[in-house]
Amino acid sequence: MSFEEKRAWIYAVVAVGVPLAYFATVLGRVQAVGVTEVAYVRPMLIAIGVVAALGLTLADYENFWIANALYLAFVLDALTSSVTKIVAYRRGL
């Protein structure tokens, strides 16, 4: 199997696996709290970060850019989570 074919298989597995993990996580929370109150931001940002890092890896970018893409995903996760919580506290939710 060629290197390009291996990359295509990895991409296909991740393209199916990451959304399945995301939806399993979010839909599992929907049953407990309802659609309007489900916390979906963190799992979505993690999924986006994983896909971005994989895309950079498959495009043969240097490890520096891959690591920084993952770090950016976690920073965006922390920022949006904090802002969401602050807004919820201010509105008395």
Side-chain angles (χ1 to χ4, degrees):
M1 183 181 301
S2 70
F3 182 71
E4 289 80 15
E5 185 179 353
K6 287 180 187 178
R7 287 174 42 178
W9 275 106
I10 292 169
Y11 186 74
V13 168
V14 171
V16 171
V18 170
L20 285 176
Y22 168 75
F23 285 118
T25 302
V26 172
L27 293 178
R29 294 177 182 176
V30 167
Q31 295 173 350
V33 297
V35 174
T36 58
E37 297 178 15
V38 70
Y40 66 91
V41 174
R42 180 171 292 203
M44 182 180 288
L45 287 175
I46 291 171
I48 291 169
V50 167
V51 171
L54 176 68
L56 291 173
T57 302
L58 292 176
D60 289 329
Y61 277 82
E62 295 181 21
N63 290 342
F64 172 83
W65 295 113
I66 297 166
N68 280 289
L70 287 171
Y71 180 68
L72 177 62
F74 289 120
V75 168
L76 292 175
D77 168 44
L79 181 62
T80 55
S81 177
S82 298
V83 169
T84 302
K85 288 178 183 177
I86 291 169
V87 170
Y89 290 138
R90 295 289 178 167
R91 294 186 180 176
L93 300 175

